[in-house]
Amino acid sequence: MSETAASLASPTPAAPAGLPWRRWASQAGAVMRLDLRKGFRRPVGLLLLAAAPIAIALIRVVFSAHAVHERADVAEGTNFYAWMYQILILRLELFLAGVAVFGNLIRREVLDRTLHYYFLSPIRRELLVAAKYLTGVLVTFTLFGISTVISFVLAYLPHDWTAVSPFLFHGPGLRQLGSYLLVTFLACVGYGAVFLALGFFFKSPAVPALGMFGWESIHFLLPPLLKQASVIHYLQSLCPVPIPEGPLAVLSDAPSPWVSVVGLLVLAVILVAVSGWRIRRMEISYDES
Amino acid sequence: MSATVTEKQRVIFENVSKFYGEVLGVNRVSLSIPPGITGLVGPNGSGKTTLMNLMVGLLRPSRGRISVLGMDSQRPEEFFRHVGYSTQYDAFPPGLNGSQFIRSYLRVHGFGAAEAEAMTWKALERVGLTEAAGRKVAGYSKGMRQRVKLAQAICHQPSVLVLDEPLNGLDPMARAEVISLFRELADGGLHVIVSSHILHEVDLISDQVVLIHGGYVVAEGDIANVRDEMEEEHPAQVSIRCDRPALLASRVFAQDSVMEARIDDDGKGVLVRTRDADRFHLLLNQVVLENGLTIEAVAPADADVNAVYQYLIGSNGEKS
Ligand SMILES: Nc1ncnc2c1ncn2[C@@H]1O[C@H](COP(=O)(O)OP(=O)(O)OP(=O)(O)O)[C@@H](O)[C@H]1O
Ligand SMILES: [Mg+2]
């Protein structure tokens, strides 16, 4: 630094020493702690969403006398969970959580008129948006990861342990759970990035959310080329137990797991980068809201 | 203007305009602000906040160039190490108390826990808020909110302080304390830029004044002389709330610097019109001491600065 304002001016404390990476990490950490503290103090809606599959699986346990036909056959539990996961958790809850959490990361700060506190700090705005995104991923994956695991376990509870134990520990059970967790994680990452970025182009998250929901819902009817332009296409292909899509579905080759995982991660990086580019140009103008 | 002060020591606006769509924010503003206290004065809607938001990069100019000590506000990671801004927005991140609020802000700067802690308490002490530090900011009074915003603006020891209506809502005692803090900081070489819609509130404390009206800068510089002249035609108004207004009115009215002393409708204060505000304040002190009056508040009552502008720009002050 040559003769700049810093050297001329009064005692400005030196920035914490070290590589920018270390400072960025500590700044991102500070943003995440602050966001957790003020943004997710009472996440009632999220908790209810995450509790719903657990409640449904519990009801099945309680009424297992009627709900479960063959206690010795774990396939029934596997099938039940596959339906519940893909329809309820993946298509509905993770999608809604993405809208609610990521669509509001920046928007809520604008509505609360608090965004300027971040904009008045010596933090790169790209870093700010990335830190907020990571907070969202952390919160949603923690809640829905736990929900995924508990409801998975509950799905097998009505079945005989003599059948469940070999399925879990010597069969595909734990690997299936791992796959479901991976899908939950990638859904948080993917839908999160989509709704974070859309938030910079739409005033209210409801409009793009409805459009996106429609698009993702008719996914199974889309021709193969268009299928590739939906998030659910990749997430669904990673689910360990397929569920039938009905007679109207247009069949197409499922992408390979690597394509799905890497593709979703790359998509997320691109969308967070787009958000960073948008937030750099953002002005504080609370008045319209 | 001294030729030795370079761009790196000044806040510079070069022909800056800002439009909100069709609405004019500020137009063709050119300024060169040296260190010291600068008062930015204008009536509601004249463009003070717009000018300050432009200065710190919360807004981007539609036209023109801005430089703050040679720094570019579009690189916040550098800029806000040296600039502190207390906004007019009176909203706070929910759930935080006074010290958490400052500490979190310093942690976002990248300061370590111990360092941030020490700087937090230093800043809170400077604005006299240590006792309320444990209370939720959301429950603060207007004056306390002003002070916690001030603490946030100064906590990282910036070289440029931009304060949007920092005196608004402060009682006379707090006001005097805050003003002496400004003086102290300015004497240490800082730029302290303070906005107000009351000319008489800032012209006494400012080293230079920028008058803005309808988005245009109508006067800039040392206006002490202008003020003296102005008081001939446009007496200053001071409102005093006290226990025995009739006594106060009769004592001060005897002085020739006082043109009028009118008792408030509720009988609990006096409105004084004076040609010489400095002399009047000395006189007021004397009267209070001699008669043991209890003063609740003393405040400039020139809310309508349009009179000043009419005088300064020789028009009715309408936007052109
Ligand atoms: N976000 C916005 N959108 C549209 N117009 C705006 C916006 N913000 C300010 N303006 C307009 O710009 C002009 C200047 O406003 P500004 O807030 O800068 O004035 P001010 O001097 O700070 O007023 P006050 O004393 O009330 O704080 C006003 O006419 C105002 O209506
Ligand atoms: Mg304003």
Side-chain angles (χ1 to χ4, degrees), chain A residues 1 3-6 8-16 23 26-27 30-31 33-34 37-38 41 112-114 116-125 280-286, chain B residues 8-9 18 56-60 69 71 74-78 80-82 85 87 89 91-96 100-101 104-105 107-111 119 152 156-159 188 190:
Chain A
M1 197 157 59
E3 194 207 23
T4 67
L8 291 172
S10 69
T12 301
R23 186 170 81 227
S26 89
Q27 289 189 309
V31 170
R33 282 193 302 274
L34 188 54
R37 180 177 228 156
K38 67 194 179 70
R41 278 188 303 158
D112 288 352
R113 299 174 168 238
T114 51
H116 63 276
Y117 286 109
Y118 286 126
F119 279 12
L120 297 176
S121 314
I123 181 172
R124 296 182 69 109
R125 290 194 187 170
R280 263 203 96 91
R281 269 148 198 79
M282 195 169 164
E283 297 192 325
I284 293 280
S285 180
Y286 296 139
Chain B
K8 292 197 171 12
Q9 289 166 299
K18 175 69 190 178
V56 303
L58 291 185
L59 293 174
R60 300 152 73 88
L69 313 193
M71 294 180 295
Q74 295 310 306
R75 294 189 63 241
E77 61 274 23
E78 170 71 21
F80 286 108
R81 296 201 179 287
H82 309 293
Y85 183 27
T87 62
Y89 310 121
F92 294 86
L96 301 182
Q100 286 167 340
F101 172 63
S104 314
Y105 178 67
R107 295 304 301 272
V108 176
H109 276 245
F111 290 107
M119 292 164 81
Q152 187 215 10
H156 58 295
Q157 291 171 260
S159 335
L190 264 71

Side-chain angles (χ1 to χ4, degrees), chain B residues 186-213:
Chain B
D187 289 347
L190 264 71
H191 285 71
V192 182
I193 302 167
V194 179
S195 78
S196 172
H197 55 271
I198 303 170
L199 180 64
H200 290 288
E201 182 175 76
V202 290
D203 70 344
L204 289 174
I205 61 166
S206 300
D207 300 314
Q208 58 269 332
V209 176
V210 175
L211 295 179
I212 180 169
H213 191 266

Side-chain angles (χ1 to χ4, degrees), chain B residues 14-83:
Chain B
E14 268 175 16
N15 211 14
V16 172
S17 301
K18 175 69 190 178
F19 293 88
Y20 299 98
E22 299 282 289
V23 181
L24 170 67
V26 294
N27 204 5
R28 300 208 204 112
V29 171
S30 291
L31 290 172
S32 174
I33 303 175
I37 301 180
T38 301
L40 175 62
V41 187
N44 292 132
S46 56
K48 304 181 293 293
T49 301
T50 302
L51 206 65
M52 291 186 147
N53 283 351
L54 284 166
M55 208 179 287
V56 303
L58 291 185
L59 293 174
R60 300 152 73 88
S62 312
R63 249 180 276 129
R65 190 182 75 94
I66 301 165
S67 149
V68 175
L69 313 193
M71 294 180 295
D72 177 5
S73 67
Q74 295 310 306
R75 294 189 63 241
E77 61 274 23
E78 170 71 21
F79 189 85
F80 286 108
R81 296 201 179 287
H82 309 293
V83 177

Side-chain angles (χ1 to χ4, degrees), chain A residues 140-201:
Chain A
T140 48
F141 180 60
T142 304
L143 284 177
F144 290 96
I146 291 173
S147 170
T148 300
V149 173
I150 295 180
S151 53
F152 183 86
V153 171
L154 289 176
Y156 292 99
L157 206 61
H159 296 276
D160 295 333
W161 180 244
T162 48
V164 172
S165 167
F167 166 73
L168 278 185
F169 301 111
H170 304 290
L174 281 183
R175 221 185 48 238
Q176 287 185 3
L177 177 59
S179 298
Y180 281 124
L181 272 176
L182 177 69
V183 176
T184 300
F185 175 72
L186 289 173
C188 297
V189 167
Y191 284 130
V194 167
F195 291 113
L196 175 74
L198 285 174
F200 285 97
F201 295 91

Side-chain angles (χ1 to χ4, degrees), chain A residues 56-214:
Chain A
I56 291 175
L58 258 181
I59 290 172
R60 181 167 165 271
V61 174
V62 171
F63 296 101
S64 60
H66 306 285
V68 179
H69 304 288
E70 199 62 70
R71 286 176 176 276
D73 184 8
V74 288
E76 214 182 306
T78 302
N79 212 22
F80 162 76
Y81 190 73
W83 279 94
M84 185 169 75
Y85 185 85
Q86 286 214 34
I87 302 297
L88 181 68
I89 300 185
L90 180 57
R91 282 179 170 74
L92 193 65
E93 300 197 324
L94 287 170
F95 184 91
L96 283 179
V99 178
V101 171
F102 294 88
N104 280 316
L105 281 177
I106 301 293
R107 189 179 121 92
R108 194 188 44 237
E109 302 260 8
V110 173
L111 293 181
D112 288 352
R113 299 174 168 238
T114 51
L115 187 57
H116 63 276
Y117 286 109
Y118 286 126
F119 279 12
L120 297 176
S121 314
I123 181 172
R124 296 182 69 109
R125 290 194 187 170
E126 297 91 332
L127 179 59
L128 170 67
V129 92
K132 280 181 151 289
Y133 170 71
L134 286 182
T135 316
V137 171
L138 190 75
V139 169
T140 48
F141 180 60
T142 304
L143 284 177
F144 290 96
I146 291 173
S147 170
T148 300
V149 173
I150 295 180
S151 53
F152 183 86
V153 171
L154 289 176
Y156 292 99
L157 206 61
H159 296 276
D160 295 333
W161 180 244
T162 48
V164 172
S165 167
F167 166 73
L168 278 185
F169 301 111
H170 304 290
L174 281 183
R175 221 185 48 238
Q176 287 185 3
L177 177 59
S179 298
Y180 281 124
L181 272 176
L182 177 69
V183 176
T184 300
F185 175 72
L186 289 173
C188 297
V189 167
Y191 284 130
V194 167
F195 291 113
L196 175 74
L198 285 174
F200 285 97
F201 295 91
F202 293 87
K203 277 225 162 106
S204 150
V207 178
L210 275 176
M212 177 100 185
F213 191 76

Side-chain angles (χ1 to χ4, degrees), chain A residues 263-278:
Chain A
L264 284 167
L265 291 176
V266 168
L267 175 78
V269 169
I270 291 173
L271 290 173
V272 173
V274 167
S275 306
W277 168 73
R278 289 291 290 198

